Amino acid sequence: MNILEWIYPPRCPLCGELVAMNGEKVHKVCYKNLIRVREPLCKHCGKPLMSDEEKIVEFCQDCRRRRQNLDKGFDQGRAVWVYEGQIQKSLMDYKYKGMKSYTDFYGQEAVRAWGNWIRKKDPQVLVPVPIHSRKKRIRGFNQAELLAGSIGKFMDIPVDELLCRKRWTEPQKAVSGRERRHNLTKSIEAVDRAGEYERVMLIDDIYTTGSTMEVCAEILKKKGVKEVYFLTICIGYGNG
Ligand SMILES: [Zn+2]
Ligand SMILES: [Zn+2]
């Protein structure tokens, strides 16, 4: 046991309780409770398909609704786990209790699950989904930046912060889907060098309805990026 472990005893990145000092990184019981994203998946966003109808069309409901416009946004996405059970607490603690030590656990799991897929898509850079600077100041960090850094370290892919949020938008629950998208489009901006890349992969902690991801991808494509993929730690079931 090194001095750091003595001062900061290792915690299970899922439940937050201490783990045994035998090198165990995560409780087996906690880990077994996670729902890994498995086929059949939505061809576009990678959400697990639930109904027979979805399985036939191979698109989730959200993507099917947007089908005409899909090529304007991201090209394909993948997530590691379904946002249910233990991982919800884990990601909440990560963001709101500042459990930054969980980063490499998520990063390693993402690479274990989708490393081959990432290689195949061959992104030149990983791009964190931006949060507003005020939020970042309060939280002290942007979880997407940490995650991109970790995945990039394991995959040997550089991280480039091509996107930023320029103005504070109202909490999104208060507005309609359309207004929300409009606010998002106005609040996210890409730096000019984005256009120097052909293939990028957006990184974030959670994918729900996908509007943020779609908007980020659209903005990058407007700058000239040809292919935009995304990878998240979690994805919501059905309509998020
Ligand atoms: Zn645990
Ligand atoms: Zn989908």
Side-chain angles (χ1 to χ4, degrees):
M1 187 167 76
N2 65 37
I3 185 87
L4 274 175
E5 279 176 357
W6 184 70
I7 303 170
Y8 303 106
R11 290 182 180 276
C12 168
L14 296 170
C15 70
E17 299 298 320
L18 296 179
V19 285
M21 289 296 185
N22 59 6
E24 187 187 42
K25 294 264 189 290
V26 50
H27 294 133
K28 283 199 184 78
V29 239
C30 294
Y31 192 77
K32 259 175 67 185
N33 262 311
L34 302 177
I35 309 167
R36 201 170 270 283
V37 166
R38 284 184 207 287
E39 300 278 353
L41 305 176
C42 170
K43 281 202 282 198
H44 188 60
C45 72
K47 200 173 272 191
L49 300 176
M50 305 303 287
S51 69
D52 288 341
E53 193 201 346
E54 282 182 340
K55 286 175 193 168
I56 294 164
V57 294
E58 298 179 276
F59 282 104
C60 73
Q61 285 181 30
D62 287 332
C63 291
R64 199 164 45 155
R65 219 176 296 133
R66 288 197 296 255
R67 214 161 164 177
Q68 268 70 41
N69 292 315
L70 287 186
D71 56 324
K72 278 198 228 151
F74 58 81
D75 293 272
Q76 200 176 48
R78 287 291 182 260
V80 186
W81 296 296
V82 173
Y83 192 57
E84 297 260 313
Q86 197 80 69
I87 195 69
Q88 292 180 315
K89 175 186 162 44
S90 173
L91 281 177
M92 295 289 256
D93 287 353
Y94 184 52
K95 284 192 281 192
Y96 305 113
K97 290 192 188 165
M99 300 301 286
K100 288 194 268 184
S101 61
Y102 294 180
T103 304
D104 276 348
F105 167 73
Y106 300 135
Q108 254 164 353
E109 289 293 319
V111 170
R112 205 154 76 125
W114 295 112
N116 288 338
W117 177 78
I118 300 172
R119 284 274 171 259
K120 230 167 70 193
K121 299 303 175 193
D122 193 25
Q124 293 155 299
V125 278
L126 303 179
V127 180
V129 168
I131 58 174
H132 193 271
S133 57
R134 193 165 114 185
K135 247 191 196 170
K136 188 170 163 179
R137 229 175 11 250
I138 296 166
R139 198 175 292 175
F141 62 95
N142 171 5
Q143 71 281 0
E145 274 172 38
L146 297 185
L147 293 168
S150 179
I151 296 165
K153 174 179 74 184
F154 295 124
M155 296 292 294
D156 202 18
I157 304 171
V159 175
D160 199 348
E161 287 164 37
L162 299 178
L163 297 169
C164 54
R165 287 223 183 188
K166 42 181 189 184
R167 78 172 98 157
W168 179 251
T169 40
E170 286 304 305
Q172 304 199 335
K173 275 181 190 126
V175 294
S176 72
R178 210 167 164 186
E179 279 173 89
R180 181 179 157 170
R181 208 182 155 85
H182 183 67
N183 280 348
L184 265 171
T185 311
K186 282 201 307 191
S187 71
I188 299 176
E189 199 172 45
V191 297
D192 285 332
R193 70 172 182 283
E196 294 166 17
Y197 297 109
E198 278 192 16
R199 299 173 309 281
V200 308
M201 188 169 284
L202 289 159
I203 305 289
D204 207 359
D205 56 336
I206 310 174
Y207 177 100
T208 47
T209 60
S211 13
T212 309
M213 212 56 97
E214 288 288 355
V215 167
C216 287
E218 270 174 32
I219 290 167
L220 287 168
K221 285 192 168 175
K222 271 192 199 138
K223 284 276 179 193
V225 182
K226 305 258 178 334
E227 295 167 39
V228 180
Y229 301 96
F230 80 79
L231 179 65
T232 60
I233 301 306
C234 283
I235 193 158
Y237 259 140
N239 306 316

